[in-house]
Amino acid sequence: MSKSNIQLVDECDRFPYPDDNPASYKAHLENYWEFKVNGCNAVLGHMLDAVVLRFNFPANDWFVDYKNRTLTMLTSPTATPAQRSAVIAKALELAVQQDTFSVLRGWRNELYPVYGPGGEFLLEMERAASPLFGIVSYGVHATAYTKDANGELRIWVPRRSQTKQTWPGMLDNSVAGGMSTGEMPFECLVREAMEEASLPEAIVRANAVPVGCVSYVYVRDSAAGGETDLVQPEVEYVFDIPLDAETIPKPCDSEVQEFNLFSIDECKAALANGEFKPNCSVVLLDFFIRHGILTAENEPDYSTILARVHRRLEFPTRHLCDVAACL
Amino acid sequence: MSKSNIQLVDECDRFPYPDDNPASYKAHLENYWEFKVNGCNAVLGHMLDAVVLRFNFPANDWFVDYKNRTLTMLTSPTATPAQRSAVIAKALELAVQQDTFSVLRGWRNELYPVYGPGGEFLLEMERAASPLFGIVSYGVHATAYTKDANGELRIWVPRRSQTKQTWPGMLDNSVAGGMSTGEMPFECLVREAMEEASLPEAIVRANAVPVGCVSYVYVRDSAAGGETDLVQPEVEYVFDIPLDAETIPKPCDSEVQEFNLFSIDECKAALANGEFKPNCSVVLLDFFIRHGILTAENEPDYSTILARVHRRLEFPTRHLCDVAACL
């Protein structure tokens, strides 16, 4: 059955909203624990109950509060990010040795930052572990496009490799990737554009335009690989990359199988057919709205889609200031 | 003191969020009543306590529930929009006769629609009364711009007439106006562009691009004119209008005093100086983000600004389908 655009948003922004049904939201939260660090009052992520119970947390380092369903890292309130990160790394090392979590088999050797409510850099952890703790992660997504001989927009759409652990074989945005600690969005884009699409740095620097970000709270299902029901709040910085007809993205690493130049109608058909990875759908819908392809006249859920894909996260998020501080 | 961009957002999106501080949010809500119509479970707006108490509601038509702070229109669950609208009109006629509310002195003779949770058209009411009931209102905002000889963007910025009831003398978006019942955003833009900026229909139809919408919950202060603390949730459909150097917007009616062509730096200075009407600031910030002027590298609150100006409203909002149904 063909999917509507709001259904595509529902498949990406999956965690319920408190004000829709406060009682059912409260009941839903009973499946999750709060992840905190000592000295910081903010909740940093929602951890699935089953994850906390299976983790083998060293009691000296962590307070596992079953009554309030809160997991607190017991570092000093004045601990450094390096000290907190070491405590996380120790817990993860044990979990990998014991093969506790399927998601950790996809170890990436990339460190993702976690921020406090004042924007301060609190700690970093292995990327593959971030959905276990439910922390906000950051990335870049870009739409590379060109105009055909008739002036019609065409979009470069890659297909993910069949051997990728996450969403194998699905369609993706032209360039997309995660931002590690200390990385800035534009520099991350430049790096990923070469790694994933063989786009030369000079072309990306000259053509890419930052056009916003999308934010949502994904909840992992089987297509994501590994444990399901893990909470994954994300902020993805969005770029447009207009290209001339001579610039052709090509796979560079093993993550992408092929690039195809889709017409807008081909993109719409693939979206309705569920062929895009969920968060790539919402980046494409945002592109369609910014370029006047989806309008208030042809999309019934126009304002709702825009609000949902710019979700205000309940967790502290990255600020420019703390990025500078953590470099 | 110079205002930051997030402060400008705070001045437009002013109603608190439930998840920031549930206790203080609950206390805040005690100043407001829920506006409902019989047969529809949704809350349609937050009405200020003092407004409900001063209204002289005919008891046959309304249930004023002091215990639950709920005002319910007692029309039949199967009433037509015309029947519900007549009940509102009767209450407003009395209020105007008795000069109960200062905001009603600015009677506009424009009818604003109210939608139910399934997107159905429920009723319409005089525009000036909408903040009394706290209903969602809809409008269009457009940024007309051109490039100077050096290729730099310049934006057409009007100054509101000193005699306007609301925000006299403040800076505004190039074209802006409210959407009445049955009006579609693009047609509303075409009408307003002529009425407010003397932009010919053919030029607007050829150049204007729909690029999204902003949504927020404004709370009126003294600069808005009339009663303060009234809640005004809004969805504003946003358009870009690139113009050639020869097309010059000019005041047409008495609402606009003059147009000036601002550089981006002049816009930024006027924003920081608090010279723009609050909701015009957020439309301009959205423009700056979509055009790569504000970036994650130069704006500390980048993702927060985007989330706040695309607020998910807790009230039912307009869908395309119901607009067609009410025409």
Side-chain angles (χ1 to χ4, degrees), chain A residues 17-20 138 184-187 209-215 235 237-239 288-304 306-308 310-314 317-321, chain B residues 17-20 138 184-187 209-215 235 237-239 288-304 306-308 310-314 317-321:
Chain A
Y17 284 77
D19 46 354
D20 280 346
Y138 304 86
M184 296 294 274
F186 197 89
E187 296 308 313
V209 182
V211 290
C213 64
V214 293
S215 48
V235 175
Y237 297 93
V238 176
F239 297 84
F288 285 174
I289 288 174
R290 289 184 294 98
H291 288 262
I293 295 163
L294 287 181
T295 70
E297 280 80 2
N298 66 25
E299 170 50 61
D301 299 298
Y302 193 71
S303 65
T304 305
L306 276 167
R308 292 280 301 281
H310 296 97
R311 182 166 182 165
R312 183 168 173 268
L313 303 178
E314 61 185 301
T317 47
R318 177 180 179 276
H319 287 234
L320 183 62
C321 46
Chain B
Y17 284 76
D19 46 353
D20 280 346
Y138 304 87
M184 297 293 275
F186 198 89
E187 296 308 313
V209 182
V211 289
C213 64
V214 293
S215 48
V235 175
Y237 297 93
V238 176
F239 296 83
F288 285 174
I289 289 174
R290 288 185 294 98
H291 288 263
I293 296 163
L294 287 181
T295 70
E297 281 79 2
N298 66 26
E299 170 49 63
D301 299 298
Y302 192 71
S303 65
T304 305
L306 276 166
R308 292 280 301 281
H310 296 98
R311 182 166 183 165
R312 183 169 173 269
L313 302 179
E314 61 186 298
T317 47
R318 178 180 178 276
H319 286 235
L320 183 63
C321 45

Side-chain angles (χ1 to χ4, degrees), chain B residues 38 57-64 71-75 86-88 90-91:
Chain B
N38 188 30
F57 286 115
N60 287 348
D61 292 341
W62 300 87
F63 175 42
V64 184
L71 173 76
T72 306
M73 183 190 294
L74 290 179
T75 38
V87 170
I88 294 266
K90 195 166 114 188

Side-chain angles (χ1 to χ4, degrees), chain A residues 143-154:
Chain A
T143 305
Y145 61 96
T146 187
K147 287 196 173 165
D148 67 15
N150 302 320
E152 298 292 324
L153 269 185
R154 290 183 164 259

Side-chain angles (χ1 to χ4, degrees), chain B residues 279-291:
Chain B
N279 68 342
C280 298
S281 294
V282 307
V283 170
L284 211 47
L285 294 178
D286 177 68
F287 180 92
F288 285 174
I289 289 174
R290 288 185 294 98
H291 288 263

Side-chain angles (χ1 to χ4, degrees), chain A:
Chain A
M1 204 190 75
S2 174
K3 292 180 185 182
S4 68
N5 291 328
I6 192 71
Q7 283 175 318
L8 295 170
V9 172
D10 287 340
E11 290 178 6
C12 177
D13 183 40
R14 296 184 60 197
F15 204 79
Y17 284 77
D19 46 354
D20 280 346
N21 184 335
S24 113
Y25 181 78
K26 209 173 152 219
H28 188 77
L29 273 192
E30 285 174 11
N31 303 313
Y32 293 95
W33 289 50
E34 296 183 340
F35 167 46
K36 292 186 163 187
V37 301
N38 188 30
C40 169
N41 198 35
V43 177
L44 303 175
H46 292 314
M47 295 182 74
L48 190 66
D49 190 61
V51 165
V52 180
L53 301 181
R54 280 163 61 196
F55 242 118
N56 204 342
F57 286 114
N60 286 349
D61 292 341
W62 299 87
F63 175 41
V64 184
D65 179 351
Y66 291 88
K67 181 157 171 279
N68 296 306
R69 289 196 313 280
T70 303
L71 173 76
T72 307
M73 184 190 293
L74 291 178
T75 38
S76 149
T78 58
T80 63
Q83 288 168 326
R84 295 192 195 97
S85 305
V87 170
I88 293 267
K90 196 166 115 187
L92 291 178
E93 196 186 341
L94 196 63
V96 168
Q97 279 168 14
Q98 301 177 339
D99 195 23
T100 316
F101 300 109
S102 163
V103 288
L104 294 185
R105 287 181 210 150
W107 196 268
R108 306 286 286 250
N109 266 324
E110 291 174 41
L111 290 168
Y112 271 11
V114 179
Y115 300 101
E120 69 278 18
F121 174 52
L122 286 179
L123 59 91
E124 59 188 351
M125 70 170 72
E126 156 62 25
R127 172 176 178 168
S130 58
L132 295 175
F133 288 86
I135 58 163
V136 181
S137 65
Y138 304 86
V140 298
H141 278 243
T143 305
Y145 61 96
T146 187
K147 287 196 173 165
D148 67 15
N150 302 320
E152 298 292 324
L153 269 185
R154 290 183 164 259
I155 293 176
W156 283 107
V157 178
R159 186 174 295 280
R160 297 165 71 86
S161 158
Q162 300 290 350
T163 60
K164 268 202 89 129
Q165 190 204 25
T166 57
W167 297 280
M170 295 193 84
L171 300 179
D172 208 324
N173 291 131
S174 316
V175 178
M179 271 169 59
S180 302
T181 310
E183 206 168 24
M184 296 294 274
F186 197 89
E187 296 308 313
C188 179
L189 175 76
V190 169
R191 178 178 59 71
E192 292 282 351
M194 173 50 78
E195 287 176 15
E196 294 202 342
S198 315
L199 288 173
E201 175 174 343
I203 288 180
V204 177
R205 290 196 188 279
N207 292 280
V209 182
V211 290
C213 64
V214 293
S215 48
Y216 49 83
V217 183
Y218 182 65
V219 179
R220 289 171 76 96
D221 62 12
S222 58
E227 286 74 12
T228 59
D229 299 323
L230 307 181
V231 180
Q232 201 169 328
E234 293 188 323
V235 175
E236 302 287 356
Y237 297 93
V238 176
F239 297 84
D240 283 357
I241 315 181
L243 294 175
D244 59 30
E246 286 69 47
T247 308
I248 316 281
K250 282 182 276 292
C252 176
D253 59 19
S254 60
E255 303 200 359
V256 173
Q257 181 181 311
E258 59 183 6
F259 278 90
N260 285 296
L261 199 53
F262 276 35
S263 69
I264 298 302
D265 282 345
E266 286 169 327
C267 285
K268 285 182 176 173
L271 282 168
N273 205 22
E275 293 179 55
F276 277 91
K277 177 175 170 243
N279 67 341
C280 298
S281 295
V282 308
V283 171
L284 212 47
L285 294 178
D286 178 67
F287 180 93
F288 285 174
I289 288 174
R290 289 184 294 98
H291 288 262
I293 295 163
L294 287 181
T295 70
E297 280 80 2
N298 66 25
E299 170 50 61
D301 299 298
Y302 193 71
S303 65
T304 305
I305 289 172
L306 276 167
R308 292 280 301 281
V309 308
H310 296 97
R311 182 166 182 165
R312 183 168 173 268
L313 303 178
E314 61 185 301
F315 313 103
T317 47
R318 177 180 179 276
H319 287 234
L320 183 62
C321 46
D322 38 275
V323 175
C326 82
L327 286 175

Side-chain angles (χ1 to χ4, degrees), chain B residues 50-222:
Chain B
V51 165
V52 180
L53 301 182
R54 278 163 61 196
F55 241 119
N56 204 343
F57 286 115
N60 287 348
D61 292 341
W62 300 87
F63 175 42
V64 184
D65 179 351
Y66 291 87
K67 181 156 170 281
N68 296 305
R69 289 197 312 281
T70 302
L71 173 76
T72 306
M73 183 190 294
L74 290 179
T75 38
S76 148
T78 58
T80 63
Q83 289 169 325
R84 295 193 196 97
S85 305
V87 170
I88 294 266
K90 195 166 114 188
L92 291 178
E93 196 185 342
L94 197 62
V96 168
Q97 279 167 14
Q98 301 177 336
D99 195 22
T100 317
F101 299 108
S102 163
V103 288
L104 294 185
R105 289 181 208 149
W107 197 268
R108 306 285 287 249
N109 267 323
E110 292 174 40
L111 289 167
Y112 271 12
V114 179
Y115 300 100
E120 69 279 18
F121 174 52
L122 287 179
L123 60 91
E124 58 189 351
M125 70 171 74
E126 156 63 25
R127 173 176 178 169
S130 59
L132 295 175
F133 288 85
I135 59 163
V136 180
S137 65
Y138 304 87
V140 298
H141 278 243
T143 305
Y145 61 96
T146 187
K147 287 197 173 166
D148 67 16
N150 302 320
E152 299 291 324
L153 268 185
R154 289 181 166 260
I155 293 177
W156 284 109
V157 178
R159 187 175 294 280
R160 297 165 70 86
S161 158
Q162 299 290 351
T163 60
K164 268 202 87 128
Q165 189 204 25
T166 57
W167 298 280
M170 295 193 83
L171 300 179
D172 208 324
N173 292 131
S174 316
V175 178
M179 270 169 61
S180 302
T181 309
E183 205 168 27
M184 297 293 275
F186 198 89
E187 296 308 313
C188 178
L189 174 76
V190 169
R191 177 177 60 71
E192 291 282 351
M194 173 50 77
E195 287 177 14
E196 295 202 343
S198 315
L199 287 173
E201 174 174 342
I203 288 181
V204 176
R205 290 197 187 277
N207 293 280
V209 182
V211 289
C213 64
V214 293
S215 48
Y216 48 83
V217 183
Y218 182 64
V219 179
R220 289 170 77 95
D221 62 13
S222 58

